[in-house]
């Protein structure tokens, strides 16, 4: 998800929430609910945080209204406190709790059978009762570093003779008694701290294959017993055998016969679960699963090293991968696997919407990718392709739309969306941000979701893309999981070690700011699982990069370690060049992790100097106007602000002028790779650093220390497509020709900026989703792509009501107006213009400078200060000459480049006296273009005056002359 997180609503205090439904509403804002279907909430009928509880809803509401630390004397009220886990077992010897013992006493209770209860005589049903001693020294520095959100809690010491490893398998509670022996407060415990201290483990996990055996290893230190049920069939039949695993220091294992390969298994884990206050027998897949049956019913015993699972030439793919000299040479094209071919009739029906479509060398989609690869795109970013929920793996279960009927409806009708949403949770479409198991390819994209097909076909996809010159980025979603609790069919990790993998708040309930079921990479074994999973995708599937969803919810330490571990993969040892694996993600800083609330997180401002990329929302918002959560008609630099106003009230003309000037500053900082130390002249005529240019929230615009830490983009899968947002924000009276030029103007700025450019699939073909702002579950109908260039999918009905209804009054007249719809000629021109600007980027290394110092030395912005020409950006990039002091020579062809962006509806001239007498000419690619307007761009050497047509980006180059010819 790509969102402007500074505009998210703040969370409501837990104590103010009165009902489970209100709890759901507050903690799951509409724009984040997309990864959990509403039908799931409705079916469950209660608060997702405690949806596994067996207690009546009335009682849950009662306990939710109690404030932390309230003294209570009623046994029933103390009993209710067991639903909370407000104390933290932070180390072997310390429990942290935000209470004052005073002159009373504090005890730890443990029950192997989860029989703790409260009577007038105090807590009963325990097997162990341990008196705790208050520690006036407080929490240690290392504990406060690991748990910064509880740094002010009181510390209680546990006697050193306590059998801690046995205690963590029990129901646990701590209680405070007053001097009269009356129990006045009690709560459950959160265990990640002590589990990390006692049970951190770096040995084998999952199914491990040797010549003679298949061994299972499961990390489950709180489990009381673990059994593996082994099956021959992927979904039916009785188990072949049930085997009991043995535990050593928190790891359960068993050695089985080699004949298990190709069979399936599940674990039965007997464990105390804090959401039910009971010992549960949880049936779960292996967290380290590398294969699954359809819909994840059972884990497949699969050996990824088996030659039978490798396409021909797989082991030598590292030698076939397209060259990548520097991360600065990367350009990224974001693509959804199903979108790519579901509507492509040049792909054989069995392949449509799946992995194998990428192997259809002569399909319209693959021919289009070849064209983009030839122009300069280096990486295809695939939306989630691991096992996710809300799409059945078995295609015969899908419901399909009646496209013939939908085609007959008016372009502004509400009937299309009603038909699509009626089946949206039963069709074959979802973006996939609903993680169930991170380490297995999604079954619905395979020709057969059972057995090893998904592994083989995913590998064929990667191989096919590499062979047409494209590296593959996998979109990974480690910030949350789709399921939790002991009963949810999509829950895995929370069944194995309840309360460990998922981040909890100070009441003990799961945090949901990332969507639902936030994961906790600050815990050792969560971080390990993430890194092991990345290594699996890199080594066994030869993925070339990773894009992290809501990366800011992951700890910086985890990201840095992941980068280092991936970088250490080698051709000889792993068959992979780890130094060429690039990682980037969404560095938004919000929720419980904001401002390092759970440790230093991987937010934009924290990642500088790591070489890890993060999305630059500043340039996006300045180009388009507002933010994804602002008024939909708010205009920006390329959508007509001041220059061609729409009906939205932006304020006075002076206000609009100021907004446009500030937007230009933000864009220029982005074009300089969003470097925080890059010095430029701002709209007030002052020399400032990028970090001294502020957003409207007074947050620094620039945050990067090197160019590869910035991902510049203007559109992505989230929010409206680029063409749609341009069509929405520009005045209704302009022509479709003008809108198409603005679409290209926006992508050209991204393509010619320093840093790494990122494009949403369809930016180059004027892709429309009929103005849908969130198409994650809008089916193939609203997400259709046409690589035959006949349609851009505009005007296929009002977009789905759930996310768009409030904007229907704006959307309806636009969809109804036939003049808004591009023709085939517009789409063909857009493809050519996009290809041309990419060719220009790769025609000179000056567009892809590798260091911050090189950018500061060579990049200049000229139309600056209070007297600037509104709507025009002028950027120059200077090169040196071999053998001449000063700048080194990087480009053998061009010695100087000037890029002029004219967002005005009229032609503009710009004179720069310092550029007089230079031999500038329009870039050869633009001279050869079929775009007649750009060919009208001129430069006059005697005056240093450039002339640029309306809504055009013109690139002027100075061809290099020999050094001895210079005066």
């Amino acid at each position: 998800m790509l969102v402007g997180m500074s505009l998210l609503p703040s969370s409501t205090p837990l104590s103010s929430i009165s009902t489970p439904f209100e709890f759901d509403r507050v903690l799951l804002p509409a724009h984040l609910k997309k990864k959990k279907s509403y039908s799931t909430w409705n079916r469950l009928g209660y608060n997702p945080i405690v949806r596994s509880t067996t207690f009546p809803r009335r009682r849950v509401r009662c306990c939710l209204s109690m404030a932390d630390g309230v003294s209570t004397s009623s046994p029933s009220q103390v009993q209710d406190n067991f639903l909370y886990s407000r104390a933290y077992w932070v180390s072997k010897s310390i429990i942290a709790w935000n209470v004052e013992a005073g002159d009373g006493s504090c005890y730890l209770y443990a029950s192997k059978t989860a029989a703790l209860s409260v009577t007038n005589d105090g807590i009963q049903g325990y097997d162990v009762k341990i008196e705790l001693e208050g520690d006036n020294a407080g929490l240690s520095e290392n504990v406060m570093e690991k748990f910064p959100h509880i740094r002010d809690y009181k510390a209680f010491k546990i006697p050193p003779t306590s059998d801690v490893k046995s205690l963590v398998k029990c129901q646990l509670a701590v209680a405070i008694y007053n001097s009269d022996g009356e129990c006045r407060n009690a709560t459950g415990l959160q265990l990640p701290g002590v589990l990390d201290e006692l049970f951190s483990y770096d040995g084998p996990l999952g199914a491990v294959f040797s010549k003679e055996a298949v061994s299972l290893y499961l990390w489950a230190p709180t489990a009381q017993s673990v059994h593996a049920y082994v099956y021959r069939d992927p979904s039916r039949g009785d188990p072949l055998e049930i085997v009991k695993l043995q535990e050593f220091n928190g790891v359960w294992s068993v050695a089985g016969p080699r004949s298990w390969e190709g069979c399936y298994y599940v674990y039965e884990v007997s464990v105390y679960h804090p959401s039910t206050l009971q010992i549960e027998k949880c049936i779960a897949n292996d967290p380290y699963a590398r294969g699954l049956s359809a819909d994840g019913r059972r884990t497949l015993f699969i050996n990824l090293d088996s030659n039978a699972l490798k396409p021909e030439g797989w082991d030598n793919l590292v030698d076939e991968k397209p060259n990548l000299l520097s991360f600065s040479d990367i350009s990224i094209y974001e693509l959804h696997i199903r979108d790519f071919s579901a509507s492509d009739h040049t792909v054989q029906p069995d392949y449509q919407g799946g992995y194998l479509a990428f192997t259809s060398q002569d399909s319209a989609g693959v021919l289009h990718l070849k064209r983009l690869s030839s122009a300069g795109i280096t990486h295809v970013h695939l939306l989630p392709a691991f096992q996710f929920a809300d799409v059945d793996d078995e295609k015969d279960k899908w419901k399909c739309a009646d496209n013939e009927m939908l085609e007959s409806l008016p372009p502004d009708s509400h009937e299309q969306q009603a038909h699509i949403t009626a089946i949206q949770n039963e069709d074959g479409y979802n973006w996939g941000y609903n993680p169930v198991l991170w380490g297995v390819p999604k079954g619905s994209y395979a020709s057969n979701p059972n057995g090893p097909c998904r592994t083989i076909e995913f590998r064929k996809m990667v191989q096919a893309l590499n062979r047409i010159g494209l590296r593959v980025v996998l979109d990974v979603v480690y910030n949350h999981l789709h399921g939790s609790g002991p009963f949810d069919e999509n829950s895995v990790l929370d069944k194995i070690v309840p309360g460990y993998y998922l981040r909890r708040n100070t009441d003990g309930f799961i945090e949901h700011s990332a969507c639902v079921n936030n994961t906790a990479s600050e815990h050792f074994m969560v971080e390990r699982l993430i890194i092991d999973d990345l290594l699996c995708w890199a080594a066994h599937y030869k993925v070339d990069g990773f894009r992290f969803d809501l990366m800011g919810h992951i700890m910086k330490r985890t990201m840095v370690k992941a980068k280092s571990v991936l970088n250490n993969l080698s051709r000889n040892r792993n068959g992979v060049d780890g130094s060429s694996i690039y990682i980037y993600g969404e560095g938004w800083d919000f929720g419980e992790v904001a401002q390092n609330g759970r440790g230093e997180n991987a937010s934009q401002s924290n990642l500088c100097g790591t070489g890890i990329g993060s999305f630059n929302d500043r340039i996006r918002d300045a180009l388009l106007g507002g933010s994804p959560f602002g008024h939909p008609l708010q205009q920006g630099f390329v959508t007509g602000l001041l220059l061609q106003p729409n009906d939205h009230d932006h304020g006075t003309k002076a206000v609009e002028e100021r907004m446009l000037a500030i937007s230009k500053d933000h864009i220029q900082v982005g074009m300089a790779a969003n470097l925080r130390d890059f010095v430029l002249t701002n709209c007030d005529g002052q020399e400032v650093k990028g970090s001294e240019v502020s957003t409207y929230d007074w947050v620094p615009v620039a945050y990067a220390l090197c160019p590869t830490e910035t991902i510049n983009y203007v559109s992505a899968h989230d929010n409206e497509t680029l063409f749609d947002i341009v069509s929405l924000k520009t005045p209704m009276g302009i022509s479709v020709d003008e809108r198409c030029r603005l679409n290209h103007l926006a992508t050209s700025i991204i393509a010619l900026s320093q840093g790494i450019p990122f494009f949403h699939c369809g930016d180059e073909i004027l892709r429309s989703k009929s103005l849908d702002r969130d198409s994650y579950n809008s089916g193939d109908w609203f997400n259709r792509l046409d690589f035959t260039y006949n349609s851009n999918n505009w005007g296929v009905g009002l977009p789905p009501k759930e996310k768009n209804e409030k904007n229907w009054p704006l959307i309806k007249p636009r969809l109804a107006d036939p003049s808004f719809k591009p023709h085939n000629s517009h789409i063909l021109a857009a493809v050519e213009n996009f290809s041309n600007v990419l060719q220009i980027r790769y025609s000179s290394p000056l567009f892809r400078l590798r260091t911050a110092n090189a950018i500061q030395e060579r990049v200049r912005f000229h139309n600056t200060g209070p007297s600037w020409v509104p709507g025009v950006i002028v950027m120059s990039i200077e090169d040196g000459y071999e053998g001449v002091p000063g700048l080194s020579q990087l480009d053998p062809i061009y010695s100087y480049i000037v890029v002029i962006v004219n967002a005005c509806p009229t032609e503009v001239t710009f004179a720069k006296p310092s550029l007089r007498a230079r031999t500038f000419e329009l870039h050869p690619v633009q001279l050869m273009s079929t775009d007649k307007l750009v060919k009208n761009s001129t430069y006059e050497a005697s005056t240093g005056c450039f002339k640029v047509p309306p809504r055009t980006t013109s690139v002027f180059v100075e061809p290099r002359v020999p050094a001895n010819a210079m005066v």
Side-chain angles (χ1 to χ4, degrees):
M1 339 176 325
L2 289 166
V3 290
M5 287 304 174
S6 62
L7 299 174
L8 287 174
S10 59
S11 296
T12 299
L14 184 66
S15 59
S16 70
I17 298 167
S18 60
T19 71
F21 286 116
E22 186 179 355
F23 203 45
D24 173 24
R25 178 183 63 79
V26 172
L27 292 185
L28 293 174
H31 62 280
L32 293 181
K33 285 187 178 180
K34 63 188 178 190
K35 300 172 187 173
K36 186 76 171 179
S37 67
Y38 286 102
S39 63
T40 303
W41 303 134
N42 294 336
R43 184 176 70 252
L44 294 169
Y46 45 78
N47 171 12
I49 290 185
V50 291
R51 63 181 177 274
S52 301
T53 184
T54 57
F55 291 98
R57 290 178 60 201
R58 177 186 57 78
R59 188 171 188 182
V60 174
R61 278 202 302 271
C62 172
C63 73
L64 284 176
S65 68
M66 296 175 61
D68 190 18
V70 171
S71 296
T72 60
S73 56
S74 165
S76 63
Q77 288 180 304
V78 176
Q79 181 77 38
D80 280 342
N81 275 9
F82 286 172
L83 287 171
Y84 295 88
S85 296
R86 289 171 168 156
Y88 292 71
W89 199 334
V90 293
S91 69
K92 181 180 179 181
S93 59
I94 294 293
I95 288 174
W97 192 9
N98 193 24
V99 295
E100 292 285 352
D103 57 356
S105 53
C106 184
Y107 292 90
L108 170 67
Y109 295 91
S111 170
K112 295 177 183 177
T113 59
L116 295 181
S117 64
V118 181
T119 70
N120 289 329
D121 296 325
I123 293 179
Q124 304 296 318
Y126 56 85
D127 299 301
V128 177
K129 176 182 179 182
I130 299 172
E131 186 170 7
L132 306 178
E133 179 185 348
D135 188 347
N136 294 329
L139 300 177
S140 64
E141 285 296 326
N142 65 313
V143 167
M144 289 190 288
E145 181 180 358
K146 186 176 179 68
F147 302 101
H149 60 299
I150 61 166
R151 62 184 307 114
D152 296 326
Y153 279 35
K154 304 299 180 183
F156 295 88
K157 291 192 292 187
I158 300 164
T161 56
S162 303
D163 184 2
V164 176
K165 291 186 176 182
S166 296
L167 289 173
V168 296
K169 297 179 181 297
C170 303
Q171 180 189 19
L172 297 169
V174 287
I176 294 284
Y177 290 81
N178 61 25
S179 57
D180 295 329
E182 182 181 45
C183 182
R184 60 183 179 88
N185 207 341
T187 188
L189 277 78
Q190 299 188 37
L191 303 181
V194 68
L195 296 184
D196 280 351
E197 180 175 315
L198 295 181
F199 298 104
S200 294
Y201 169 75
D202 60 4
L205 288 169
V208 178
F209 291 79
S210 65
K211 189 174 182 179
E212 300 82 14
V214 180
S215 298
L216 291 175
Y217 298 88
L218 179 71
W219 186 77
T222 61
Q224 295 184 356
S225 68
V226 177
H227 293 81
Y229 287 64
V230 181
Y231 299 86
R232 175 67 61 189
D233 190 87
S235 60
R236 296 181 299 275
D238 295 327
L240 293 173
E241 54 184 314
I242 303 172
V243 295
K244 181 177 175 61
L245 279 69
Q246 301 299 317
E247 182 190 14
F248 177 74
N249 204 33
V251 178
W252 300 79
S253 63
V254 67
R258 200 65 168 76
S259 60
W260 277 358
E261 186 172 2
C263 293
Y264 299 85
Y265 67 103
V266 294
Y267 287 122
E268 179 193 75
V269 181
S270 294
V271 64
Y272 172 74
H273 208 290
S275 69
T276 64
L277 308 185
Q278 295 181 24
I279 306 297
E280 303 288 359
K281 285 191 174 182
C282 299
I283 304 300
N285 280 300
D286 192 330
Y288 275 72
R290 298 298 177 236
L292 291 168
S293 64
D295 296 319
R297 296 184 187 93
R298 294 168 183 171
T299 303
L300 174 66
F301 282 104
I302 184 172
N303 180 9
L304 296 181
D305 290 321
S306 170
N307 288 329
L309 306 184
K310 299 177 181 178
E312 184 178 354
W314 178 251
D315 286 336
N316 299 318
L317 185 61
V318 65
D319 299 318
E320 297 185 55
K321 285 187 178 290
N323 290 331
L324 183 66
L325 299 179
S326 166
F327 287 158
S328 291
D329 293 331
I330 291 174
S331 57
I332 301 169
Y333 185 73
E334 180 198 46
L335 177 63
H336 183 251
I337 289 173
R338 182 163 180 81
D339 284 353
F340 175 68
S341 61
S343 303
D344 189 347
H345 298 298
T346 66
V347 175
Q348 67 183 74
D350 290 347
Y351 289 5
Q352 287 177 1
Y355 301 125
L356 292 179
F358 294 90
T359 68
S360 301
Q361 290 299 301
D362 295 321
S363 72
V366 170
L367 291 175
H368 183 75
L369 289 182
K370 288 179 179 178
R371 182 173 186 172
L372 296 183
S373 174
S374 296
I377 291 291
T378 63
H379 287 63
V380 168
H381 159 171
L382 299 175
L383 265 65
F386 47 74
Q387 186 66 18
F388 58 81
D390 286 346
V391 172
D392 272 313
D393 286 342
E394 296 171 305
K395 298 176 179 61
D396 58 359
K397 295 181 179 179
W398 295 351
K399 291 184 177 179
C400 299
D402 182 350
N403 282 12
E404 187 174 340
M405 182 273 289
L406 296 176
E407 294 281 6
S408 69
L409 297 170
D412 61 337
S413 170
H414 65 84
E415 293 186 47
Q416 293 97 327
Q417 63 87 29
H419 184 72
I420 295 300
T421 54
I423 62 169
Q424 67 179 358
N425 296 319
E426 300 170 271
D427 65 358
Y429 196 90
N430 196 286
W431 280 346
Y433 293 94
N434 312 319
V436 177
L437 280 161
W438 292 321
V440 185
K442 174 61 177 169
S444 65
Y445 296 143
S447 59
N448 184 351
N450 295 308
C453 272
R454 56 176 92 190
T455 292
I456 297 168
E457 293 174 7
F458 190 101
R459 287 172 165 174
K460 286 183 177 180
M461 174 183 67
V462 173
Q463 186 179 56
L465 284 167
N466 283 175
R467 285 177 172 174
I468 63 172
L470 295 167
R471 289 174 173 257
V472 177
V473 172
L474 184 60
D475 199 324
V476 288
V477 187
Y478 296 124
N479 60 81
H480 75 277
L481 287 163
H482 192 64
S484 64
F487 310 123
D488 190 328
E489 63 184 9
N490 293 311
S491 175
V492 177
L493 297 177
D494 200 42
K495 292 177 178 178
I496 303 295
V497 191
Y500 179 81
Y501 287 97
L502 302 181
R503 185 180 290 135
R504 295 194 281 171
N505 62 23
T506 52
D507 284 314
F509 298 120
I510 297 168
E511 294 279 10
H512 291 283
S513 59
C515 185
V516 291
N517 303 315
N518 296 6
T519 51
S521 69
E522 59 269 27
H523 303 159
F524 181 90
M525 295 300 288
V526 183
E527 177 179 271
R528 185 195 156 170
L529 178 54
I530 291 171
I531 292 173
D532 287 349
D533 190 68
L534 291 168
L535 287 171
C536 177
W537 286 108
H540 290 291
Y541 291 97
K542 303 189 187 299
V543 168
D544 305 290
F546 298 95
R547 177 268 190 191
F548 286 75
D549 184 61
L550 294 186
M551 178 174 63
H553 270 59
I554 299 170
M555 292 300 107
K556 176 183 175 180
R557 179 197 67 190
T558 304
M559 294 299 304
V560 171
K561 185 174 181 179
K563 183 177 184 290
S564 174
V565 169
L566 289 169
N567 186 70
N568 287 333
L569 295 174
S570 70
R571 287 171 172 262
N572 294 336
R573 189 173 61 253
N574 311 104
V576 173
D577 177 10
S579 66
S580 68
I581 295 174
Y582 180 64
I583 61 177
Y584 60 101
E586 297 177 300
W588 322 132
D589 190 38
F590 72 102
E592 74 282 358
V593 299
Q595 299 179 14
N596 302 321
R598 295 299 180 98
E600 192 174 14
N601 63 323
S603 62
Q604 289 170 329
S605 59
N606 284 340
L607 285 175
C608 60
T610 65
I612 296 169
S614 65
F615 286 97
N616 177 14
D617 52 337
R618 281 78 152 155
I619 195 171
R620 175 202 64 186
D621 293 346
L623 286 168
L624 299 181
S627 81
F629 307 107
H631 194 283
L633 294 186
Q634 187 170 337
Q635 293 177 292
F637 193 87
V638 302
T639 56
L641 179 63
L642 178 68
L643 308 171
Q644 209 161 21
N646 57 22
D647 294 332
H648 182 61
D649 182 8
H650 294 88
T652 64
K653 185 176 181 181
V655 169
E656 288 186 317
E657 289 175 347
R658 182 66 179 174
M659 289 172 64
L660 187 64
I662 291 173
S663 295
K664 184 212 45 160
D665 284 352
H666 291 190
I667 295 165
Q668 290 178 163
V669 172
M671 293 181 77
N674 219 44
L675 296 172
R676 70 181 194 184
D677 295 328
F678 180 80
V679 178
L680 74 163
T681 302
N682 69 8
C683 59
D684 296 319
Q686 301 169 331
E687 279 205 348
V688 295
K689 293 181 179 180
S691 60
E692 294 170 337
V693 178
S694 298
T695 68
Y696 296 104
D697 295 329
W698 303 107
V699 174
V701 167
Y703 53 77
L705 280 180
C706 72
T708 56
E709 291 174 354
T710 294
I711 307 292
N712 281 324
Y713 75 109
V714 72
S715 72
H717 64 274
D718 272 314
N719 312 311
E720 294 89 348
T721 67
L722 176 57
F723 181 81
D724 282 351
I725 203 69
V726 167
S727 298
L728 190 62
K729 289 177 179 288
T730 50
M732 287 194 65
I734 72 171
S735 68
V736 68
D737 293 351
E738 293 172 287
R739 293 192 183 93
C740 292
R741 290 199 72 81
L742 292 175
N743 187 103
H744 175 57
L745 190 75
T747 55
S748 68
I749 293 170
I750 299 301
L752 299 177
S753 295
Q754 302 294 331
I756 294 178
F758 174 101
F759 306 99
H760 179 217
C761 171
D763 282 352
E764 77 286 6
I765 55 175
L766 309 177
R767 181 184 189 175
S768 173
K769 297 179 182 178
S770 210
L771 290 167
D772 190 351
R773 67 170 286 105
D774 190 356
S775 69
Y776 82 102
N777 203 16
S778 299
D780 296 323
W781 180 255
F782 288 98
N783 287 284
R784 284 185 302 177
L785 284 167
D786 181 3
F787 291 119
T788 66
Y789 311 140
N790 287 315
S791 171
N792 77 330
N793 209 45
W794 172 270
V796 296
L798 286 169
K801 179 178 181 179
E802 178 189 336
K803 301 293 181 68
N804 301 280
E805 185 179 20
K806 69 178 182 179
N807 289 330
W808 277 2
L810 297 174
I811 293 171
K812 189 176 177 66
R814 288 166 170 81
L815 296 181
D817 188 340
S819 71
F820 273 73
K821 186 175 178 64
H823 302 299
N824 166 256
S825 58
H826 292 115
I827 299 171
L828 289 172
V831 174
E832 183 194 357
N833 283 334
F834 186 79
S835 298
N836 286 349
V837 77
L838 282 174
Q839 289 178 49
I840 291 171
R841 178 178 181 83
Y842 287 93
S843 70
S844 172
L846 297 178
F847 287 113
R848 295 168 281 118
L849 298 173
R850 299 181 181 182
T851 66
N853 187 55
I855 293 172
Q856 184 63 69
E857 288 181 329
R858 298 165 188 267
V859 176
R860 295 287 182 274
F861 293 96
H862 301 280
N863 182 29
T864 58
S867 60
W868 77 299
V869 179
V872 178
I873 292 174
V874 181
M875 176 181 73
S876 68
I877 317 173
E878 186 176 3
D879 200 13
Y881 292 85
E882 188 174 347
V884 176
L887 292 174
S888 60
Q889 180 179 322
L890 302 177
D891 188 339
I893 302 173
Y894 305 123
S895 59
Y896 208 105
I897 296 174
V898 174
V899 177
I900 302 183
V901 179
N902 177 19
C904 301
T906 56
E907 180 182 85
V908 298
T909 58
F910 177 78
K912 185 68 175 178
S914 63
L915 298 179
R916 287 178 189 164
R918 285 193 174 270
T919 56
F920 286 120
E921 58 189 41
L922 194 63
H923 196 287
V925 170
Q926 292 187 321
L927 281 173
M928 298 293 291
S929 171
T930 61
D931 181 358
K932 295 178 181 179
L933 266 184
V934 76
K935 291 181 178 180
N936 293 330
S937 307
T938 61
Y939 165 72
E940 189 177 81
S942 61
T943 60
C945 184
F946 298 87
K947 185 181 294 184
V948 179
R951 298 188 180 91
T952 297
T953 297
S954 301
V955 181
F956 297 89
V957 292
E958 182 178 63
R960 186 170 291 286
V961 295
N964 57 13
M966 295 179 61
V967 177

